[in-house]
Amino acid sequence: GGDDPGPAEQARLLLQRMSDERVMPDTTAYNAALHVSALSGSLGHMWRIYDMMQAEGVVADAATYRTLALLYARCGDIERAEDILHRARLDGHGRGARELDLLLSACGNAWPRDNQKAERTFRDMLAAGIKPSSQSLRFLQMAMGKDRAIELAEELNVPWTAPDGRRPGTRTWAAA
């Protein structure tokens, strides 16, 4: 009914109940609850769960920070996603393919699109020796437009055509 809490609140309440019953949730449990909040778009619940995590002394891992950045990336808030991922680096977590994909996603979801930031992120990905995935290329295309993304990929010798010959924007494609 109308009094039924949403999934983010249900996740928060489950963590609270576990804690009340002296079953201490670990990083994995908190990350799952954060993920539910991020997917449901509940910024307030996400940060309340993160605050609970810190109050209980549960250490955030790389997945925690990626989940916190996910909601901002989906909203196109590049600056906030970068801030969270920077905090992850300060806590000793590296910047890998998933983190860079989150930044590319934020660039693609931003309005206006930030094609310069997307290009820098894509170049950083390659400089770090990370092979772009089909998802990376899709986010790059969202941020820069298909023509400019293909041009950049070709300039940087990144294969854009999938082994089956499909191009981005078709049903399935990937970096070769």
Side-chain angles (χ1 to χ4, degrees):
D3 294 336
D4 190 32
E9 178 63 5
Q10 289 175 356
R12 189 193 67 75
L13 290 172
L14 180 60
L15 289 171
Q16 186 63 55
R17 184 171 159 208
M18 288 173 72
S19 185
D20 291 346
E21 293 180 11
R22 303 216 189 287
V23 177
M24 299 314 294
D26 62 4
T27 304
T28 303
Y30 277 104
N31 285 349
L34 288 168
H35 193 74
V36 167
S37 298
L39 290 179
S40 65
S42 182
L43 192 59
H45 280 97
M46 186 178 74
W47 285 108
R48 280 193 288 284
I49 291 168
Y50 181 72
D51 289 344
M52 286 173 59
M53 183 179 184
Q54 288 190 312
E56 292 292 334
V58 177
V59 177
D61 63 9
T64 305
Y65 291 107
R66 283 193 304 267
T67 303
L68 292 171
L70 175 64
L71 185 54
Y72 292 101
R74 286 183 167 183
C75 297
D77 190 338
I78 300 167
E79 185 175 322
R80 189 70 172 140
E82 280 184 317
D83 287 347
I84 292 167
L85 295 175
H86 178 71
R87 189 177 339 166
R89 289 177 78 180
L90 293 177
D91 280 355
H93 305 290
R95 184 167 281 190
R98 290 178 180 169
E99 290 78 10
L100 293 169
D101 277 349
L102 279 169
L103 292 177
L104 285 172
S105 171
C107 294
N109 288 316
W111 193 255
R113 306 276 191 251
D114 193 337
N115 58 1
Q116 291 179 344
K117 177 56 125 176
E119 180 174 338
R120 280 193 306 275
T121 301
F122 190 68
R123 287 179 183 276
D124 288 349
M125 178 180 276
L126 297 174
I130 298 169
K131 181 181 178 184
S133 66
S134 60
Q135 189 172 1
S136 307
L137 296 174
R138 184 172 58 87
F139 293 144
L140 183 68
Q141 180 179 330
M142 285 171 47
M144 303 184 81
K146 182 178 180 180
D147 293 340
R148 176 62 187 124
I150 290 172
E151 181 182 301
L152 178 64
E154 288 174 353
E155 172 190 327
L156 300 173
N157 296 314
V158 174
W160 192 267
T161 303
D164 66 2
R166 294 182 184 229
R167 300 287 286 182
T170 62
R171 192 76 180 130
T172 53
W173 57 277

